[in-house]
Amino acid sequence: MNVARYLTSCTLKVSAFGTIMNKLSAVKKLYHLSGYELDTSHPLLDLLVKACKRDMSVDAKPKAPLEPGHLILINTMIDRSNLDHRIFQAALMIQFFSCIRKSNLLPPSIRGFSPHRHLTRADISILPDGLHLSLPWTKTIQNSDEIMTICIAQVTGSIIDPVSTYKQFISDFPMPPKMPAFSINCGSKVLVLTQQNYINTLKHFLERLGLPSQAYSSHSIRRGGTTVLY
């Protein structure tokens, strides 16, 4: 009954049925860790979950995945004399091959940058045959009690090799270790790629390819990269 009350209260604060199921799963896990078992098939909970699914579900349209072919075509359109293009290209390659969220990749704004939440130059290390990313904060690791590490392998000889792209980027645009990973010195100013600028540039290239930009988002990159790795 207490779990049912808790889930009912959650429906007042969240709008997605998936979030309700995540919360139920978390409660079940806490019960288990405490030495108890929660029967989520109990008729009371079963009826409540079905009611939530009926009332909260919407016809969600997941964003289309960005595929390697898209990545290749976008790379052919990069103007190397355009700073916005170069910084976008570096971020795009890192996100696609690491599958990280935009909340780790880039700050929401220049003032919103946090070296504990967003990638810095120091968080990306060069390996002999790849890159090493260190993420002290993620959506699932929020208390800095551990660090998520991700390695990106080199794709030798490919136009979409993330390692050579990033190496060239930091060689052309060196920055201090604690600066945002995707930032560039422009004389007396610093150009920092933000989440919204990143999405806008992605949609700009997709429109140039004749694709419906509204069908894509930054999650398309994460989704496409994960599919390729799988």
Side-chain angles (χ1 to χ4, degrees):
M1 179 60 74
N2 283 335
V3 174
R5 290 184 178 122
Y6 169 67
L7 293 180
T8 303
S9 70
C10 289
T11 64
L12 303 176
K13 303 173 184 178
V14 302
S15 57
F17 173 67
T19 304
I20 296 296
M21 295 306 295
N22 287 343
K23 291 182 178 293
L24 179 58
S25 176
V27 170
K28 185 176 180 179
K29 181 69 172 179
L30 288 171
Y31 266 71
H32 179 73
L33 292 173
S34 301
Y36 302 95
E37 295 301 326
L38 174 64
D39 181 12
T40 55
S41 65
H42 186 280
L44 177 62
L45 294 179
D46 184 56
L47 285 172
L48 179 59
V49 167
K50 288 179 179 177
C52 289
K53 184 176 183 179
R54 183 187 65 243
D55 292 342
M56 302 178 73
S57 293
V58 295
D59 296 328
K61 294 182 179 179
K63 296 299 183 180
L66 196 75
E67 300 176 4
H70 298 136
L71 209 60
I72 291 171
L73 291 172
I74 289 174
N75 271 273
T76 62
M77 294 189 290
I78 295 294
D79 178 359
R80 293 185 61 79
S81 65
N82 187 315
L83 295 182
D84 290 323
H85 282 203
R86 293 292 304 281
I87 196 171
F88 167 78
Q89 179 190 32
L92 175 66
M93 301 294 283
I94 292 296
Q95 187 184 19
F96 188 87
F97 286 96
S98 68
C99 306
I100 63 175
R101 296 178 174 87
K102 69 177 181 181
S103 57
N104 281 122
L105 185 75
L106 302 165
S109 63
I110 296 176
R111 290 188 175 183
F113 168 69
S114 167
H116 302 294
R117 295 173 68 104
H118 310 115
L119 276 180
T120 66
R121 288 290 178 97
D123 293 329
I124 307 179
S125 304
I126 306 296
L127 302 176
D129 57 353
L131 300 174
H132 178 276
L133 276 61
S134 299
L135 306 177
W137 182 96
T138 71
K139 185 178 179 181
T140 54
I141 304 175
Q142 299 187 3
N143 297 321
S144 299
D145 52 353
E146 57 182 299
I147 294 178
M148 177 181 288
T149 60
I150 299 172
C151 289
I152 301 177
Q154 189 162 5
V155 187
T156 307
S158 172
I159 190 177
I160 55 172
D161 174 26
V163 179
S164 60
T165 299
Y166 184 73
K167 282 183 177 180
Q168 189 64 55
F169 174 71
I170 62 173
S171 174
D172 293 344
F173 308 105
M175 292 291 283
K178 288 302 180 181
M179 289 297 288
F182 305 101
S183 58
I184 292 176
N185 251 329
C186 300
S188 60
K189 300 177 67 176
V190 175
L191 173 64
V192 178
L193 184 62
T194 62
Q195 294 174 13
Q196 191 57 55
N197 288 340
Y198 180 60
I199 296 169
N200 291 343
T201 306
L202 171 66
K203 294 192 173 187
H204 163 74
F205 281 114
L206 292 173
E207 288 170 358
R208 287 180 59 182
L209 291 174
L211 297 170
S213 61
Q214 68 275 10
Y216 297 83
S217 71
S218 64
H219 185 67
S220 300
I221 305 166
R222 176 173 154 86
R223 182 183 175 194
T226 304
T227 303
V228 168
L229 288 177
Y230 176 77

CSV table of all heavy atoms in Angstrom, one decimal, residues 28-82:
chain,number,residue,atom,x,y,z
A,28,LYS,N,12.1,-1.4,-5.7
A,28,LYS,CA,12.3,-2.9,-5.7
A,28,LYS,C,13.7,-3.2,-5.3
A,28,LYS,O,14.0,-4.1,-4.5
A,28,LYS,CB,11.9,-3.5,-7.0
A,28,LYS,CG,11.9,-5.0,-7.0
A,28,LYS,CD,11.4,-5.6,-8.3
A,28,LYS,CE,11.4,-7.1,-8.2
A,28,LYS,NZ,10.9,-7.7,-9.5
A,29,LYS,N,14.7,-2.5,-5.9
A,29,LYS,CA,16.1,-2.7,-5.7
A,29,LYS,C,16.4,-2.4,-4.2
A,29,LYS,O,17.2,-3.1,-3.5
A,29,LYS,CB,16.9,-1.8,-6.6
A,29,LYS,CG,18.4,-2.0,-6.5
A,29,LYS,CD,18.9,-3.4,-6.9
A,29,LYS,CE,20.4,-3.5,-6.9
A,29,LYS,NZ,20.9,-4.8,-7.4
A,30,LEU,N,15.9,-1.3,-3.7
A,30,LEU,CA,16.1,-0.9,-2.3
A,30,LEU,C,15.6,-1.9,-1.3
A,30,LEU,O,16.2,-2.2,-0.3
A,30,LEU,CB,15.5,0.5,-2.0
A,30,LEU,CG,16.2,1.7,-2.7
A,30,LEU,CD1,15.4,2.9,-2.5
A,30,LEU,CD2,17.6,1.9,-2.0
A,31,TYR,N,14.4,-2.5,-1.6
A,31,TYR,CA,13.8,-3.6,-0.8
A,31,TYR,C,14.8,-4.7,-0.8
A,31,TYR,O,15.1,-5.3,0.3
A,31,TYR,CB,12.5,-4.0,-1.4
A,31,TYR,CG,11.3,-3.4,-0.8
A,31,TYR,CD1,11.0,-2.0,-1.0
A,31,TYR,CD2,10.4,-4.1,0.0
A,31,TYR,CE1,9.9,-1.4,-0.5
A,31,TYR,CE2,9.3,-3.5,0.6
A,31,TYR,CZ,9.0,-2.2,0.3
A,31,TYR,OH,7.9,-1.6,0.9
A,32,HIS,N,15.3,-5.1,-2.0
A,32,HIS,CA,16.2,-6.3,-2.1
A,32,HIS,C,17.5,-6.0,-1.3
A,32,HIS,O,18.0,-6.9,-0.6
A,32,HIS,CB,16.5,-6.5,-3.5
A,32,HIS,CG,17.5,-7.7,-3.8
A,32,HIS,ND1,17.1,-9.0,-3.6
A,32,HIS,CD2,18.8,-7.7,-4.1
A,32,HIS,CE1,18.1,-9.8,-3.8
A,32,HIS,NE2,19.2,-9.0,-4.2
A,33,LEU,N,18.1,-4.8,-1.4
A,33,LEU,CA,19.3,-4.5,-0.7
A,33,LEU,C,19.1,-4.5,0.8
A,33,LEU,O,20.0,-4.7,1.6
A,33,LEU,CB,19.8,-3.1,-1.1
A,33,LEU,CG,20.4,-3.1,-2.6
A,33,LEU,CD1,20.7,-1.6,-2.9
A,33,LEU,CD2,21.6,-4.0,-2.7
A,34,SER,N,17.9,-4.3,1.3
A,34,SER,CA,17.5,-4.3,2.7
A,34,SER,C,17.1,-5.6,3.2
A,34,SER,O,16.8,-5.8,4.4
A,34,SER,CB,16.4,-3.3,3.0
A,34,SER,OG,16.8,-2.0,2.5
A,35,GLY,N,17.2,-6.6,2.3
A,35,GLY,CA,16.9,-8.0,2.8
A,35,GLY,C,15.4,-8.4,2.6
A,35,GLY,O,15.0,-9.4,3.2
A,36,TYR,N,14.7,-7.6,1.9
A,36,TYR,CA,13.2,-7.9,1.7
A,36,TYR,C,13.0,-8.1,0.2
A,36,TYR,O,13.8,-7.7,-0.7
A,36,TYR,CB,12.3,-6.8,2.2
A,36,TYR,CG,12.5,-6.5,3.7
A,36,TYR,CD1,13.4,-5.5,4.1
A,36,TYR,CD2,11.8,-7.2,4.6
A,36,TYR,CE1,13.6,-5.2,5.4
A,36,TYR,CE2,12.0,-7.0,6.0
A,36,TYR,CZ,12.9,-6.0,6.4
A,36,TYR,OH,13.0,-5.7,7.7
A,37,GLU,N,11.9,-8.6,-0.2
A,37,GLU,CA,11.5,-8.7,-1.6
A,37,GLU,C,10.1,-8.0,-1.8
A,37,GLU,O,9.2,-8.2,-1.0
A,37,GLU,CB,11.4,-10.2,-2.0
A,37,GLU,CG,12.8,-10.9,-2.0
A,37,GLU,CD,13.8,-10.3,-2.9
A,37,GLU,OE1,13.5,-9.7,-3.9
A,37,GLU,OE2,15.0,-10.3,-2.5
A,38,LEU,N,10.0,-7.3,-2.9
A,38,LEU,CA,8.8,-6.6,-3.2
A,38,LEU,C,8.2,-7.3,-4.4
A,38,LEU,O,8.8,-7.4,-5.4
A,38,LEU,CB,9.1,-5.1,-3.5
A,38,LEU,CG,7.9,-4.3,-4.1
A,38,LEU,CD1,6.8,-4.2,-3.0
A,38,LEU,CD2,8.3,-2.9,-4.5
A,39,ASP,N,6.9,-7.7,-4.2
A,39,ASP,CA,6.2,-8.4,-5.3
A,39,ASP,C,5.5,-7.4,-6.1
A,39,ASP,O,4.4,-6.9,-5.8
A,39,ASP,CB,5.2,-9.4,-4.7
A,39,ASP,CG,4.5,-10.2,-5.8
A,39,ASP,OD1,4.9,-10.1,-6.9
A,39,ASP,OD2,3.4,-10.8,-5.4
A,40,THR,N,6.1,-7.0,-7.2
A,40,THR,CA,5.5,-6.0,-8.1
A,40,THR,C,4.4,-6.5,-8.9
A,40,THR,O,3.7,-5.8,-9.6
A,40,THR,CB,6.6,-5.4,-9.1
A,40,THR,OG1,7.2,-6.5,-9.8
A,40,THR,CG2,7.7,-4.6,-8.3
A,41,SER,N,4.2,-7.9,-8.9
A,41,SER,CA,3.0,-8.4,-9.6
A,41,SER,C,1.8,-8.5,-8.7
A,41,SER,O,0.7,-9.0,-9.1
A,41,SER,CB,3.4,-9.9,-10.0
A,41,SER,OG,3.6,-10.7,-8.9
A,42,HIS,N,1.9,-7.9,-7.5
A,42,HIS,CA,0.7,-7.9,-6.6
A,42,HIS,C,-0.4,-7.2,-7.3
A,42,HIS,O,-0.2,-6.2,-8.0
A,42,HIS,CB,1.1,-7.1,-5.3
A,42,HIS,CG,0.0,-7.1,-4.2
A,42,HIS,ND1,-1.1,-6.3,-4.3
A,42,HIS,CD2,-0.1,-7.9,-3.1
A,42,HIS,CE1,-1.8,-6.5,-3.2
A,42,HIS,NE2,-1.3,-7.5,-2.5
A,43,PRO,N,-1.7,-7.7,-7.2
A,43,PRO,CA,-2.8,-7.1,-7.9
A,43,PRO,C,-2.9,-5.6,-7.7
A,43,PRO,O,-3.3,-4.9,-8.7
A,43,PRO,CB,-4.0,-7.9,-7.3
A,43,PRO,CG,-3.4,-9.2,-6.9
A,43,PRO,CD,-2.0,-8.9,-6.4
A,44,LEU,N,-2.7,-5.1,-6.5
A,44,LEU,CA,-2.8,-3.7,-6.3
A,44,LEU,C,-1.8,-2.9,-7.1
A,44,LEU,O,-2.2,-1.9,-7.8
A,44,LEU,CB,-2.6,-3.3,-4.8
A,44,LEU,CG,-2.6,-1.8,-4.4
A,44,LEU,CD1,-4.0,-1.2,-4.7
A,44,LEU,CD2,-2.3,-1.6,-3.0
A,45,LEU,N,-0.5,-3.3,-7.1
A,45,LEU,CA,0.5,-2.6,-7.9
A,45,LEU,C,0.3,-2.8,-9.4
A,45,LEU,O,0.5,-1.9,-10.2
A,45,LEU,CB,1.9,-3.1,-7.5
A,45,LEU,CG,2.3,-2.7,-6.1
A,45,LEU,CD1,3.7,-3.3,-5.8
A,45,LEU,CD2,2.3,-1.2,-5.9
A,46,ASP,N,-0.2,-4.0,-9.7
A,46,ASP,CA,-0.4,-4.4,-11.2
A,46,ASP,C,-1.5,-3.5,-11.7
A,46,ASP,O,-1.3,-2.9,-12.8
A,46,ASP,CB,-0.8,-5.8,-11.3
A,46,ASP,CG,-0.9,-6.3,-12.7
A,46,ASP,OD1,0.0,-6.1,-13.5
A,46,ASP,OD2,-2.0,-6.7,-13.1
A,47,LEU,N,-2.5,-3.3,-11.0
A,47,LEU,CA,-3.6,-2.4,-11.5
A,47,LEU,C,-3.2,-1.0,-11.6
A,47,LEU,O,-3.6,-0.3,-12.5
A,47,LEU,CB,-4.9,-2.6,-10.6
A,47,LEU,CG,-5.7,-3.9,-10.7
A,47,LEU,CD1,-6.7,-3.9,-9.6
A,47,LEU,CD2,-6.4,-3.9,-12.1
A,48,LEU,N,-2.4,-0.5,-10.6
A,48,LEU,CA,-2.0,0.8,-10.6
A,48,LEU,C,-1.0,1.1,-11.8
A,48,LEU,O,-1.2,2.1,-12.4
A,48,LEU,CB,-1.2,1.1,-9.3
A,48,LEU,CG,-0.7,2.5,-9.1
A,48,LEU,CD1,-1.8,3.6,-9.2
A,48,LEU,CD2,0.1,2.7,-7.8
A,49,VAL,N,-0.1,0.2,-12.0
A,49,VAL,CA,0.8,0.4,-13.1
A,49,VAL,C,0.0,0.4,-14.5
A,49,VAL,O,0.3,1.2,-15.3
A,49,VAL,CB,1.9,-0.8,-13.2
A,49,VAL,CG1,2.6,-0.8,-14.5
A,49,VAL,CG2,2.8,-0.6,-12.0
A,50,LYS,N,-1.0,-0.5,-14.6
A,50,LYS,CA,-1.8,-0.5,-15.8
A,50,LYS,C,-2.5,0.8,-16.0
A,50,LYS,O,-2.6,1.4,-17.1
A,50,LYS,CB,-2.7,-1.7,-15.8
A,50,LYS,CG,-2.0,-3.0,-16.0
A,50,LYS,CD,-3.1,-4.1,-16.0
A,50,LYS,CE,-2.3,-5.5,-16.2
A,50,LYS,NZ,-3.3,-6.6,-16.1
A,51,ALA,N,-3.0,1.4,-14.9
A,51,ALA,CA,-3.7,2.7,-15.0
A,51,ALA,C,-2.8,3.8,-15.4
A,51,ALA,O,-3.1,4.7,-16.2
A,51,ALA,CB,-4.4,2.9,-13.6
A,52,CYS,N,-1.6,3.8,-14.8
A,52,CYS,CA,-0.6,4.8,-15.1
A,52,CYS,C,-0.2,4.7,-16.6
A,52,CYS,O,-0.1,5.7,-17.3
A,52,CYS,CB,0.7,4.6,-14.3
A,52,CYS,SG,0.5,5.0,-12.5
A,53,LYS,N,-0.1,3.5,-17.1
A,53,LYS,CA,0.3,3.3,-18.5
A,53,LYS,C,-0.8,3.8,-19.4
A,53,LYS,O,-0.5,4.5,-20.4
A,53,LYS,CB,0.6,1.8,-18.8
A,53,LYS,CG,1.1,1.6,-20.2
A,53,LYS,CD,1.4,0.1,-20.4
A,53,LYS,CE,2.0,-0.1,-21.8
A,53,LYS,NZ,2.4,-1.6,-22.0
A,54,ARG,N,-2.0,3.6,-19.1
A,54,ARG,CA,-3.1,4.0,-19.9
A,54,ARG,C,-3.3,5.5,-19.9
A,54,ARG,O,-3.5,6.2,-20.9
A,54,ARG,CB,-4.5,3.4,-19.4
A,54,ARG,CG,-5.7,3.8,-20.2
A,54,ARG,CD,-7.0,3.3,-19.6
A,54,ARG,NE,-7.2,4.0,-18.4
A,54,ARG,CZ,-7.3,3.4,-17.2
A,54,ARG,NH1,-7.1,2.1,-17.1
A,54,ARG,NH2,-7.6,4.1,-16.1
A,55,ASP,N,-3.1,6.2,-18.7
A,55,ASP,CA,-3.3,7.6,-18.6
A,55,ASP,C,-2.1,8.4,-19.0
A,55,ASP,O,-2.2,9.6,-19.4
A,55,ASP,CB,-3.7,8.0,-17.2
A,55,ASP,CG,-5.0,7.4,-16.8
A,55,ASP,OD1,-5.8,7.1,-17.7
A,55,ASP,OD2,-5.3,7.3,-15.6
A,56,MET,N,-0.9,7.9,-18.9
A,56,MET,CA,0.3,8.7,-19.1
A,56,MET,C,1.0,8.4,-20.4
A,56,MET,O,1.8,9.2,-20.9
A,56,MET,CB,1.3,8.4,-18.0
A,56,MET,CG,0.8,8.7,-16.6
A,56,MET,SD,2.0,8.3,-15.3
A,56,MET,CE,3.2,9.7,-15.5
A,57,SER,N,0.7,7.3,-21.0
A,57,SER,CA,1.4,7.0,-22.3
A,57,SER,C,1.0,7.9,-23.4
A,57,SER,O,-0.2,8.3,-23.5
A,57,SER,CB,1.1,5.5,-22.7
A,57,SER,OG,1.7,4.6,-21.8
A,58,VAL,N,1.9,8.3,-24.2
A,58,VAL,CA,1.7,9.1,-25.4
A,58,VAL,C,2.3,8.4,-26.6
A,58,VAL,O,3.2,7.5,-26.4
A,58,VAL,CB,2.2,10.5,-25.3
A,58,VAL,CG1,1.5,11.3,-24.2
A,58,VAL,CG2,3.7,10.5,-25.0
A,59,ASP,N,1.9,8.8,-27.8
A,59,ASP,CA,2.5,8.2,-29.0
A,59,ASP,C,3.9,8.9,-29.2
A,59,ASP,O,4.0,9.8,-30.0
A,59,ASP,CB,1.6,8.4,-30.2
A,59,ASP,CG,0.3,7.6,-30.0
A,59,ASP,OD1,0.3,6.6,-29.4
A,59,ASP,OD2,-0.8,8.1,-30.5
A,60,ALA,N,4.9,8.4,-28.5
A,60,ALA,CA,6.2,9.0,-28.6
A,60,ALA,C,6.8,8.6,-29.9
A,60,ALA,O,6.7,7.6,-30.5
A,60,ALA,CB,7.1,8.4,-27.5
A,61,LYS,N,7.5,9.6,-30.5
A,61,LYS,CA,8.2,9.4,-31.7
A,61,LYS,C,9.7,9.6,-31.5
A,61,LYS,O,10.2,10.8,-31.4
A,61,LYS,CB,7.7,10.5,-32.8
A,61,LYS,CG,6.2,10.3,-33.2
A,61,LYS,CD,5.8,11.3,-34.2
A,61,LYS,CE,4.4,11.1,-34.6
A,61,LYS,NZ,3.9,12.1,-35.7
A,62,PRO,N,10.4,8.5,-31.3
A,62,PRO,CA,11.8,8.6,-31.0
A,62,PRO,C,12.6,9.3,-32.1
A,62,PRO,O,12.2,9.2,-33.3
A,62,PRO,CB,12.2,7.2,-30.8
A,62,PRO,CG,11.2,6.4,-31.5
A,62,PRO,CD,9.9,7.1,-31.4
A,63,LYS,N,13.6,10.0,-31.7
A,63,LYS,CA,14.4,10.7,-32.7
A,63,LYS,C,15.1,9.7,-33.6
A,63,LYS,O,15.6,8.7,-33.1
A,63,LYS,CB,15.4,11.7,-32.1
A,63,LYS,CG,14.7,12.8,-31.3
A,63,LYS,CD,13.9,13.7,-32.2
A,63,LYS,CE,13.3,14.9,-31.5
A,63,LYS,NZ,12.5,15.7,-32.3
A,64,ALA,N,15.3,10.0,-34.9
A,64,ALA,CA,16.0,9.1,-35.8
A,64,ALA,C,17.4,9.1,-35.4
A,64,ALA,O,18.0,10.1,-35.0
A,64,ALA,CB,15.8,9.6,-37.2
A,65,PRO,N,18.1,7.9,-35.6
A,65,PRO,CA,19.5,7.8,-35.3
A,65,PRO,C,20.4,8.4,-36.4
A,65,PRO,O,20.0,8.4,-37.6
A,65,PRO,CB,19.7,6.3,-35.2
A,65,PRO,CG,18.7,5.7,-36.2
A,65,PRO,CD,17.5,6.6,-36.0
A,66,LEU,N,21.5,9.0,-36.0
A,66,LEU,CA,22.5,9.4,-36.9
A,66,LEU,C,23.4,8.2,-37.3
A,66,LEU,O,23.9,7.6,-36.4
A,66,LEU,CB,23.3,10.5,-36.3
A,66,LEU,CG,24.1,11.4,-37.3
A,66,LEU,CD1,23.2,12.3,-38.0
A,66,LEU,CD2,25.2,12.2,-36.6
A,67,GLU,N,23.5,7.9,-38.6
A,67,GLU,CA,24.2,6.8,-39.0
A,67,GLU,C,25.6,7.1,-39.5
A,67,GLU,O,25.9,8.3,-39.9
A,67,GLU,CB,23.4,6.0,-40.1
A,67,GLU,CG,22.0,5.6,-39.5
A,67,GLU,CD,21.2,4.9,-40.6
A,67,GLU,OE1,21.7,4.7,-41.7
A,67,GLU,OE2,20.0,4.6,-40.3
A,68,PRO,N,26.5,6.2,-39.7
A,68,PRO,CA,27.9,6.5,-40.2
A,68,PRO,C,27.8,7.2,-41.5
A,68,PRO,O,28.7,8.1,-41.8
A,68,PRO,CB,28.5,5.1,-40.3
A,68,PRO,CG,27.8,4.3,-39.2
A,68,PRO,CD,26.4,4.8,-39.2
A,69,GLY,N,26.9,6.8,-42.4
A,69,GLY,CA,26.8,7.5,-43.7
A,69,GLY,C,26.5,9.0,-43.5
A,69,GLY,O,27.1,9.8,-44.2
A,70,HIS,N,25.7,9.4,-42.5
A,70,HIS,CA,25.4,10.8,-42.3
A,70,HIS,C,26.7,11.5,-41.8
A,70,HIS,O,27.0,12.6,-42.2
A,70,HIS,CB,24.3,10.9,-41.2
A,70,HIS,CG,23.0,10.3,-41.5
A,70,HIS,ND1,22.2,9.6,-40.7
A,70,HIS,CD2,22.3,10.4,-42.7
A,70,HIS,CE1,21.1,9.2,-41.3
A,70,HIS,NE2,21.1,9.7,-42.5
A,71,LEU,N,27.4,10.7,-40.9
A,71,LEU,CA,28.6,11.3,-40.3
A,71,LEU,C,29.7,11.6,-41.4
A,71,LEU,O,30.3,12.6,-41.4
A,71,LEU,CB,29.2,10.3,-39.3
A,71,LEU,CG,30.0,10.9,-38.1
A,71,LEU,CD1,29.1,11.8,-37.3
A,71,LEU,CD2,30.5,9.7,-37.3
A,72,ILE,N,29.8,10.7,-42.4
A,72,ILE,CA,30.7,10.8,-43.5
A,72,ILE,C,30.3,12.1,-44.3
A,72,ILE,O,31.2,12.9,-44.7
A,72,ILE,CB,30.7,9.6,-44.4
A,72,ILE,CG1,31.4,8.4,-43.6
A,72,ILE,CG2,31.5,9.8,-45.7
A,72,ILE,CD1,31.3,7.1,-44.3
A,73,LEU,N,29.0,12.2,-44.6
A,73,LEU,CA,28.6,13.3,-45.5
A,73,LEU,C,28.8,14.7,-44.7
A,73,LEU,O,29.1,15.6,-45.4
A,73,LEU,CB,27.1,13.1,-45.8
A,73,LEU,CG,26.8,12.0,-46.8
A,73,LEU,CD1,25.3,11.7,-47.0
A,73,LEU,CD2,27.4,12.3,-48.2
A,74,ILE,N,28.5,14.7,-43.4
A,74,ILE,CA,28.7,15.9,-42.7
A,74,ILE,C,30.2,16.3,-42.7
A,74,ILE,O,30.5,17.5,-42.8
A,74,ILE,CB,28.2,15.7,-41.2
A,74,ILE,CG1,26.6,15.7,-41.2
A,74,ILE,CG2,28.6,16.9,-40.3
A,74,ILE,CD1,26.0,15.4,-39.9
A,75,ASN,N,31.0,15.3,-42.5
A,75,ASN,CA,32.5,15.6,-42.5
A,75,ASN,C,33.0,16.2,-43.8
A,75,ASN,O,33.9,17.0,-43.9
A,75,ASN,CB,33.3,14.3,-42.1
A,75,ASN,CG,33.5,14.2,-40.6
A,75,ASN,OD1,34.4,14.7,-40.1
A,75,ASN,ND2,32.5,13.5,-40.0
A,76,THR,N,32.3,15.8,-44.9
A,76,THR,CA,32.7,16.3,-46.2
A,76,THR,C,32.3,17.8,-46.4
A,76,THR,O,32.8,18.5,-47.2
A,76,THR,CB,32.1,15.5,-47.4
A,76,THR,OG1,30.7,15.5,-47.3
A,76,THR,CG2,32.6,14.0,-47.3
A,77,MET,N,31.3,18.2,-45.6
A,77,MET,CA,30.8,19.6,-45.7
A,77,MET,C,31.5,20.5,-44.7
A,77,MET,O,31.2,21.7,-44.6
A,77,MET,CB,29.3,19.6,-45.4
A,77,MET,CG,28.5,18.9,-46.5
A,77,MET,SD,26.7,19.2,-46.3
A,77,MET,CE,26.4,18.2,-44.8
A,78,ILE,N,32.4,20.0,-43.8
A,78,ILE,CA,33.1,20.8,-42.9
A,78,ILE,C,34.1,21.8,-43.6
A,78,ILE,O,34.9,21.4,-44.4
A,78,ILE,CB,33.9,20.0,-41.9
A,78,ILE,CG1,32.9,19.1,-41.0
A,78,ILE,CG2,34.8,20.8,-41.0
A,78,ILE,CD1,32.0,19.9,-40.1
A,79,ASP,N,33.9,23.1,-43.3
A,79,ASP,CA,34.8,24.1,-43.8
A,79,ASP,C,35.9,24.3,-42.7
A,79,ASP,O,35.6,24.9,-41.7
A,79,ASP,CB,34.0,25.4,-44.0
A,79,ASP,CG,34.9,26.5,-44.5
A,79,ASP,OD1,36.1,26.4,-44.7
A,79,ASP,OD2,34.3,27.6,-44.8
A,80,ARG,N,37.1,23.9,-43.1
A,80,ARG,CA,38.2,23.9,-42.1
A,80,ARG,C,38.6,25.3,-41.7
A,80,ARG,O,39.2,25.5,-40.7
A,80,ARG,CB,39.4,23.2,-42.6
A,80,ARG,CG,39.1,21.7,-42.7
A,80,ARG,CD,40.4,20.9,-43.1
A,80,ARG,NE,41.4,21.0,-42.1
A,80,ARG,CZ,41.5,20.3,-41.0
A,80,ARG,NH1,40.5,19.5,-40.7
A,80,ARG,NH2,42.5,20.5,-40.2
A,81,SER,N,38.2,26.3,-42.5
A,81,SER,CA,38.5,27.7,-42.1
A,81,SER,C,37.4,28.3,-41.2
A,81,SER,O,37.5,29.4,-40.7
A,81,SER,CB,38.6,28.6,-43.4
A,81,SER,OG,37.4,28.6,-44.1
A,82,ASN,N,36.3,27.6,-41.0
A,82,ASN,CA,35.2,28.0,-40.2
A,82,ASN,C,35.3,27.4,-38.7
A,82,ASN,O,35.3,26.2,-38.5
A,82,ASN,CB,33.9,27.5,-40.8
A,82,ASN,CG,32.6,28.1,-40.1
A,82,ASN,OD1,32.6,28.1,-38.9
A,82,ASN,ND2,31.7,28.6,-40.9
